[in-house]
Amino acid sequence: MAWERKVGKAMHFTINGKNYDADPDIRTSLLDLLREHLNLTGSKKGCDHGQCGACTVLVNGRRINSCLTLAVMHQDDEITTIEGIGTPDNLAPLQAAFVKHDGFQCGYCTPGQICSATGMLNEAKQGWPSHVSERLEGDVELTDDEIRERMSGNLCRCSAYPNIVDAIREVAEEPA
Amino acid sequence: MSDTYTLTMDDPIETSLLDTSAQGLIGKGLDRVDGPKKVSGQATYSAEYSFENGCYGFLVRAPFAVGRITKIDTQAAKALPGVIDVVTDFDRFIRNSAQGAVKSAPVQGVRDVAYFGEPVAIVVAEGYEQARDAASLVRIEHEAGSGNFDFAEAIADADIPPDGAAPATHDQGDLDKAMGDADATVDEVWTTPSQNSAAMEPHASVALWNDDGLTLYGSYQMPSFDRPSLADALGLETEQVRIITPYIGGGFGSKLGIAPESVAAAIASKQIGRPVKTVMTRQQVFDATVRRSNTRQRVRLAAGKDGKLTGIGHETHCSNLPDEVFFEPAGIATHFLYGGEHRRITHAIARLNRVLSGSMRAPGEAAGMLALECAMDELAERLGIDPVELRKINDCKRDPEKDIPYSSRSFTECLDEGAKRFGWDKRNRTPGKMREGEWLIGHGMSGSARGNQLQPSEARVVLRPDGSAIVETDMTDIGTGTYTILSQIAGELLGLPIDRVDVRLGDNRFPPGSGSGGSFGAGSSGSSVYLACEDIRRKLATAMDCEPSDLTLKDGEAIAANRRVSLSDIMSGEIEATGRIEPGDQGDEVRQAGHGAHFCAVRVNAVTGEVRIDRWTAVFAAGRILNEKTATSQCLGGVVFGIGAALTEELVHDPRNGKVVNRDLAEYHVPVHADVPHVDIRFLPERDTHANPLHAKGIGELGIAGAGAAVANAIANATGARVRDYPLTLDKLLDSLPPV
Ligand code: FES
Ligand code: FES
């Protein structure tokens, strides 16, 4: 890779089902590994401090802020980024719903919103409660307030929020 | 090359080809053409370009507010592995970001530091982590200077700037006398804080040089201005700079002009002979790009018993660095929104050593209507008139200052439609008296207005015999929907399905577009595409041996006088045309603006003062709506910016040195999902023949105008007390809550 530095040991990663080798600085965040070393630039950097959600990816199916974790810690993990969720010619249902409902404007927060929503729908399916849940046990009903609460770690300055909620609700209501 | 077909808007355009064409693409809520790329991470933003042999730059900031640098000690930084150099240029590094629509360099020279966090050097290293680490080891020595950090004090020496987006000063009649003679008056002061655009993509530049000069992948809203501005800063000819910016992760004014990272990356890249990528950290964006100025606004209203305004005053103090002429034109909508014979609208700048202030979404209206529209609400209360009614009473047929007609104005219609959709007749009529459990319920509204502008803009369109077309202009899409609406306009006028049009933006190799700012992008760049297509239609009409007005183009076929042929039958090769729109007399002969009305329902927690917004309706009229879906999103974005301004957004400056204290997204609070309810947005049908051949007016900023005031008015309605110091955080509401 053109922007790669040759220091330290080679590391190995599994991303979107593919194997990658890289040689990043030991201080490299998972986000910078993706963006600067593997040319997987779909994950975005909005703050580098876990404050915006633009860098959200799935690690072993769970959503995390990839700017807040070091790449070296994830060599045994299954990492899924927006590139692994769907492509322009073969969009995943959430991606298609974002287009249909105009759940974005500039598009910069969008990969993070979609990765986050993917993880969030699974959490809900598994019955994880949120701050606005009435009960801590049992099935989660994804009301608009539940979706808003669970997605509040993903900022969108273009403020497509209501359209994002519409897109997520549509997919959540689809029969599995 | 083709000749350029130019239209100067000296006269209204009575008929638009968009009303007679047949493809059926205009107005519909079509999906964004760039949507599939954006949702799959395939749209490429500036920082995502990588090049052979590239390296990383990291800006070094001055850790003091005012003074002269005596030494930059780079020894420790340079000793780290991977560090290539620490570069500075005391003459050419820019001190301030450029203001929008300026072709010359902004203030240059960083030996003398004017605000805390000013970027004064750049570390270049093989790896990003190395550059970042090394930057923290650069030591900057300085002789301290003295600066101004206290707004209240600096107001005493405020200066009156030259006219900007609005006249600095307008005096008409005798406002003091009108206030004395009035049946009811308002005379109050509102304050608004500094704000940051906080576009989700931080400013970023990748600079590389070749024999022709500099190529810069930068995140800029106005490449046709940013190019000469950057060239001037670097001492180059305009043609030696090429800016490429196909996707921009939001701007909201903060990327109108070049920012410090572009010049620093370019200079470093030249010096070391390698491509340099420099992305500002979120903290640096807060420290050293641009803010919306804080303001202090005195609004005076004088009215008769019937609610008719006799006088209107709006006097604003804002802040900026010494010598900067930009002022926050908070009175900009006050000039034309309401009647009243006696008027005084003024602006003055208090000089402070804080990061540059400049344009942020709807400069003027966004801050100014937070005061004006609350003042109107207070006047309505004092007169016992419904706030909607009061605004309708003061709607006008002609501009109250220039005595010219409005190009189109559906203000009353928006108020009526909004009131109906919202159910305004069922609102809480007694402030502080509607309660549900722990929550006080309030309803509020405001008027909305944003001036419409036209800027010179150029585009090239190529029609191919196979029924496809290419549109090229260095116009940008910052989330506004430019790719989509330009595809629609070209497809509509050339009779092509939308997927047969390929729109290419954000590259100085293309004809100079207006850029994105001031809500003029769609009208200006859309008109340039319209004109190029009109020129192509003329050529096709000649080939069809008919008048252009008798030509119908649809689905790749040309139809005239009972003849229907495919384009390939009448085209021997590509047809190319360049269209150019120029502002003209229509900018002065009529007052052009979009109008609207906001209505919202809020809950205020009677114990904690927490505010929740439950419901929102907004109705706008802004000429022809080119794409209902993207237009709705634009207005939605504006409304949510307004919610942020009303409730949470405030840059806190350290009183000792002007430093932005809350310089990240955890401490500068933009609205999140949980803060935003469903928002009902409607457009009224309108055509504006004076604006441009599309008959469309700008909408990117209309949504924010007045939005925050609707929230503030609803809070006052819920609690029964007025707070005039934005943002209306819960601590400021506690005193107006009922005893627990
Ligand atoms: S970039 Fe990771 S949370 Fe903002
Ligand atoms: S789409 Fe621009 S920040 Fe969300």
Side-chain angles (χ1 to χ4, degrees), chain A residues 103-110 113 155-160, chain B residues 200 249-250:
Chain A
F104 59 93
Q105 292 168 39
C106 76
Y108 198 78
C109 73
T110 315
Q113 300 275 359
L155 304 184
C156 176
R157 187 54 157 166
C158 296
S159 307
Chain B
M200 289 308 300

Side-chain angles (χ1 to χ4, degrees), chain A residues 4 41 47:
Chain A
E4 183 123 340
T41 56
C47 70

Side-chain angles (χ1 to χ4, degrees), chain B residues 25 35 63 90 107 180 243 270 285 301 318 350 436 537 649 654 693 700:
Chain B
L25 295 177
F90 280 143
V107 177
I243 295 177
K270 179 82 180 174
V285 171
L301 300 176
C318 65
E436 283 172 16
R537 289 174 64 95
E649 288 185 42
D654 189 321

